[in-house]
């Protein structure tokens, strides 16, 4: 196996740069995956991983640079060229056709046919053989919609890795929705792919996983490839420092390494001043010492266990943790969407037990779902309809919505969240992702809840939209309410939270207060390293 520039490269990226208005997403990134190699890719959210994958997949056109697959070089790939070149991608969101069978999903686009007619017996037999060989106890005629999220993911891995003629397989957080047992099956599949001479690009936030699976690792930070070396030459500590950008990191001696970008020196006095400035920017809200929520012994078997924490009015508490740590499940339990199996919740000095989200909402708990498109927005309706959905009772008389009251409320919230649209009559589907999120937050604000549960409110946002959402939380929402916030990255939590709770495998393993925030330590903690 050679390094960059070797004779056995299946995929090679040379000086890939992608510039968007106001930001450089990728800056002359070089990356290679050789035949029979698992090359890991790690970086914080916003480091450029998704942009890089999009370029390889033919979904994004690079500003400059080249992509080589085998012995063919492209200025830019389109989707058809990427597929023809043998590039297969499995993402963390399983995209199967739920109403089709397992076999139909496996052979979608390339069914086994005889005389122009699909041979279902042959297709089911071949599917059963593949499923059995990979250790998946699933019947080929089983409906895909009845599979677990983990099983759907493995189904896609099988399709991309076994059935399709792929030479390069990109597993983009593909292990995120898997159970521990299915994660072991994925590991076996990766080993089989490696043995078959395919190149695997393995993207994950889990350091243990990368160190255990990969032959080499590349670290992306701020759009740059800051280090590449054999996985054996990295440790938890050095990888964390590279991902976060700690100046204490020293250059590796491996011959294939890329020289790290120098990081400006920051002495302790500068850090102390920065913390003081952060504290000054976050003045305590009125009534912040009034406890609004306390949970004790909260347990949902298989999701989280023994959760205990409190939250004050005017306080923003962050939940940090990798996907699968239990963040979303905990919020849904508090919101009454998926109640806990055990535990006690005290809300506004009263014991509460919600078995449905409307009960929690009526009590003063507003929940923002992680998946706004599927769980939050009412597509095909106007901004006004989406903003006022939770307040229909308050703006109605004798079961009829008061149009004037509805209009006044929607206009007030529309201005408060600074939604960028022509008017509240505009269709919600016409808005950008950031503005859709503002509408959902505004819907919660309209009821003036005492507690906001915000599950990844900045997910998928560009820098401008993210800043706008965080400012809204800090300046408008926290005023007379408590906020429990999760985020796809540590940056958001560090910027606006008063405390951060770290969840790992369903348990709170650490708690840090503002002034003691340390990104490297937090990054290690979400990996389960104290």
């Amino acid at each position: 196996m050679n390094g960059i520039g070797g004779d056995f490269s299946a995929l090679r990226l040379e000086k890939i740069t992608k510039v968007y208005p106001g930001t450089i997403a990728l800056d002359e990134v070089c990356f290679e995956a050789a035949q029979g190699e698992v090359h890991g890719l790690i970086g914080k959210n916003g480091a450029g991983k998704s942009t890089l994958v999009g370029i390889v997949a033919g979904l994004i056109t690079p500003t400059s640079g080249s992509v080589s697959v085998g012995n063919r070089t492209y200025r830019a790939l389109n989707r058809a060229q990427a597929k023809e070149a043998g590039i297969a991608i499995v993402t963390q969101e399983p995209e199967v056709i739920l109403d089709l069978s397992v076999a139909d999903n496996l052979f979608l686009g390339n069914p086994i046919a005889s005389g122009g007619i699909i041979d279902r017996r042959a297709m089911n037999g071949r599917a059963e053989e593949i499923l059995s060989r990979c250790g998946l106890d699933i019947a080929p005629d089983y409906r895909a919609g009845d599979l677990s999220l983990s099983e759907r993911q493995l189904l896609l891995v099988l399709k991309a890795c076994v059935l399709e003629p792929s030479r390069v397989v990109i597993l983009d957080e593909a292990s995120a929705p898997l159970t521990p047992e299915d994660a072991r099956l994925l590991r076996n599949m990766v080993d089989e792919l490696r043995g078959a001479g395919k190149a695997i690009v393995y993207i994950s936030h889990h350091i243990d996983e990368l160190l255990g699976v990969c032959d080499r690792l590349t670290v992306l930070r701020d759009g740059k490839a800051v280090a590449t070396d054999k996985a054996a030459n990295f440790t938890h500590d050095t990888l964390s420092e590279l991902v976060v950008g700690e100046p204490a990191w020293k250059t590796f001696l491996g011959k294939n390494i890329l020289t790290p970008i120098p990081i400006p020196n920051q002495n302790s006095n500068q850090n102390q001043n920065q913390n003081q400035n952060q504290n000054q920017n976050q003045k305590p809200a009125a009534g912040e010492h009034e406890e609004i929520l306390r949970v004790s012994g909260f347990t949902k078997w298989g999701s989280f266990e023994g959760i205990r924490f409190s939250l004050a009015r005017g306080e923003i508490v962050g939940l940090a943790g990798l996907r699968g740590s239990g963040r979303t499940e905990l919020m849904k339990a508090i919101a009454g969407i998926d109640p806990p199996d055990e535990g006690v919740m005290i809300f506004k000095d009263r014991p509460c037990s919600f078995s449905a989200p409307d009960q929690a909402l009526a009590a003063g708990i507003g929940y923002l779902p992680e998946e706004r498109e599927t769980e939050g927005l009412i597509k095909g309706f106007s901004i006004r309809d989406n903003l006022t959905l939770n307040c229909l009772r308050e703006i109605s008389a004798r079961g009829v919505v008061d149009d004037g009251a509805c209009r006044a409320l929607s206009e007030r919230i529309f201005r408060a969240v600074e939604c960028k649209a022509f008017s509240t009559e505009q269709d919600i589907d016409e808005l950008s992702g950031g503005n859709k999120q503002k509408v959902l937050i505004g819907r919660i604000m309209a009821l003036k809840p005492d507690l906001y549960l915000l599950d990844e409110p900045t997910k998928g946002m560009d820098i401008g939209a993210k800043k706008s959402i965080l400012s809204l939380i800090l300046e408008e929402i926290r005023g007379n309410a408590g906020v429990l916030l999760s985020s796809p990255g540590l940056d958001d939590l560090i910027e606006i939270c008063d405390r951060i709770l770290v969840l790992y495998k369903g348990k709170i393993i650490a708690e840090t207060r503002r002034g003691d925030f340390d990104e490297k330590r937090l990054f290690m903690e979400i990996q389960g390293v104290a």
Side-chain angles (χ1 to χ4, degrees):
M1 183 189 304
N2 290 5
I4 291 178
D7 297 330
F8 304 103
S9 295
L11 173 70
R12 184 184 301 152
L13 309 180
E14 292 285 352
K15 295 186 176 181
I16 292 292
T17 296
K18 180 60 181 177
V19 179
Y20 290 106
T23 185
I24 300 176
L26 293 172
D27 187 1
E28 296 195 339
V29 170
C30 294
F31 180 87
E32 178 220 38
Q35 296 176 15
E37 178 191 26
V38 182
H39 195 143
L41 189 62
I42 188 172
K44 295 193 297 183
N45 288 287
K49 302 188 301 298
S50 296
T51 304
L52 198 66
V53 170
I55 288 171
V56 176
L59 301 174
I60 298 174
T61 301
T63 304
S64 62
S66 64
V67 179
S68 298
V69 186
N71 59 5
R72 187 168 181 181
T73 299
Y74 303 83
R75 162 69 184 80
L77 284 164
N78 58 39
R79 188 66 194 101
Q81 288 172 327
K83 189 173 181 63
E84 183 182 354
I87 295 172
I89 299 177
V90 181
T91 67
Q92 62 179 300
E93 303 293 344
E95 296 176 352
V96 301
I97 299 180
L98 302 181
D99 289 330
L100 294 184
S101 71
V102 168
D104 286 336
N105 271 280
L106 277 175
F107 291 95
L108 191 65
N110 190 28
I112 299 176
S114 177
I117 299 174
I118 293 177
D119 188 339
R120 294 206 169 272
R121 174 176 290 184
M123 205 158 69
N124 284 342
R126 174 66 174 141
E128 186 172 16
E129 174 191 335
I130 293 169
L131 291 165
S132 176
R133 177 160 60 91
C134 295
L136 270 176
D137 186 19
I138 302 173
D141 58 352
Y142 208 64
R143 180 177 173 272
D146 294 327
L147 299 179
S148 69
L149 191 65
S150 185
E151 289 169 333
R152 292 177 202 169
Q153 185 72 318
L154 286 181
L155 188 65
L156 288 182
V157 174
L158 281 177
K159 180 177 175 60
C161 302
V162 179
L163 287 176
E164 296 183 352
S166 55
R167 86 167 64 187
V168 178
V169 178
I170 300 176
L171 300 178
D172 187 3
E173 300 276 0
S175 65
L178 299 183
T179 64
E181 178 59 34
D182 286 343
R184 284 191 285 272
L185 291 179
L186 176 63
R187 174 72 179 270
N188 293 338
M189 291 181 196
V190 170
D191 288 340
E192 187 174 326
L193 289 171
R194 182 195 276 123
K198 296 188 179 184
I200 304 100
V201 180
Y202 201 101
I203 303 173
S204 176
H205 285 293
H206 294 267
I207 290 179
D208 275 337
E209 183 180 9
L210 291 171
L211 292 177
V213 172
C214 300
D215 301 300
R216 279 194 297 167
L217 286 171
T218 288
V219 180
L220 281 184
R221 188 176 69 241
D222 299 329
K224 296 178 182 289
V226 296
T228 296
D229 201 5
K230 293 179 180 179
N233 290 339
F234 290 100
T235 65
H236 259 282
D237 198 49
T238 52
L239 258 185
S240 298
E241 289 175 346
L242 282 163
V243 170
V244 173
E246 286 287 315
W249 183 78
K250 303 298 182 183
T251 306
F252 283 108
L253 298 178
K255 66 177 182 179
N256 291 330
I257 194 155
L258 303 176
T259 304
I261 306 301
I263 303 166
N265 189 25
Q266 296 177 334
N267 59 42
S268 59
N269 291 332
Q270 288 174 319
N271 289 333
Q272 185 176 4
N273 291 336
Q274 183 180 11
N275 286 333
Q276 289 172 350
N277 290 334
Q278 288 175 333
N279 287 325
Q280 290 171 0
N281 290 333
Q282 298 206 349
K283 297 177 182 179
E288 72 162 335
H289 298 298
E290 175 195 346
E291 185 177 277
I292 193 74
L293 174 72
R294 176 175 293 272
V295 298
S296 180
F298 245 41
T299 298
K300 183 73 177 178
W301 298 116
S303 298
F304 54 85
E305 180 182 350
I307 299 297
R308 180 188 182 92
F309 71 94
S310 64
L311 176 63
R313 193 181 294 276
E315 184 182 29
I316 303 176
V317 172
L319 288 179
L322 299 174
R323 181 161 182 166
S325 62
R327 294 174 302 149
T328 295
E329 293 81 0
L330 176 58
M331 285 196 175
K332 286 186 173 181
I334 295 172
I337 297 171
D338 194 5
D341 297 317
E342 296 179 5
V344 176
M345 179 168 73
I346 308 296
F347 180 59
K348 294 192 292 187
D349 294 328
R350 293 183 179 181
C352 294
S353 179
F354 304 122
S355 58
D358 59 332
Q359 296 174 358
L361 189 62
I365 298 178
Y367 172 66
L368 179 77
E370 176 187 2
E371 300 297 337
R372 59 177 175 266
E373 296 287 346
T374 57
E375 298 180 15
L377 297 172
I378 310 299
K379 295 184 177 182
F381 282 66
S382 67
I383 295 172
R384 183 177 71 169
D385 292 335
N386 275 274
L387 280 172
T388 58
L389 185 65
N390 291 345
C391 300
L392 294 180
R393 184 174 298 174
E394 287 75 9
I395 57 176
S396 300
R398 297 179 181 178
V400 179
V401 174
D402 184 326
D403 190 63
C406 180
R407 191 180 304 276
L409 175 62
S410 64
E411 291 289 347
R412 177 173 61 82
I413 299 299
F414 183 76
R415 289 191 299 270
V417 299
E418 297 182 349
C419 182
K420 293 180 180 179
F422 298 119
S423 75
T424 58
E425 301 303 319
Q426 190 172 345
D427 194 300
I428 192 71
D429 298 332
E430 298 175 2
L431 299 186
S432 66
N435 284 297
K436 286 178 180 177
Q437 194 75 309
K438 287 181 179 181
V439 170
L440 283 179
I441 293 175
R443 180 196 297 173
I444 300 172
M445 289 173 59
L447 275 179
K448 299 180 180 179
D450 297 285
L451 174 64
Y452 287 81
L453 305 174
L454 306 179
D455 194 3
E456 299 203 13
T458 61
K459 181 180 179 180
M461 303 289 165
D462 60 38
I463 294 175
K466 181 183 294 189
K467 291 291 184 184
S468 183
I469 294 292
L470 295 179
S471 178
L472 181 63
I473 295 168
L474 194 60
E475 297 174 8
E476 296 284 342
I477 288 177
R478 76 175 301 187
N480 196 37
V483 180
L484 188 62
L485 168 75
S486 75
S487 172
L490 291 171
D491 294 352
D492 294 355
L493 302 182
I494 290 172
E495 185 170 342
I496 70 169
C497 290
D498 300 297
R499 283 186 293 142
I500 295 177
L501 308 176
V502 176
L503 273 170
Y504 179 73
K505 293 185 177 179
K507 295 183 179 181
I508 294 178
I509 63 168
E511 175 181 346
T512 308
R513 295 184 178 275
R514 172 162 292 280
D516 295 325
F517 291 166
D518 181 291
E519 189 175 7
K520 179 194 168 186
R521 192 183 73 224
L522 286 166
F523 185 81
M524 295 286 282
E525 288 171 347
I526 66 174
Q527 301 285 338
V529 180

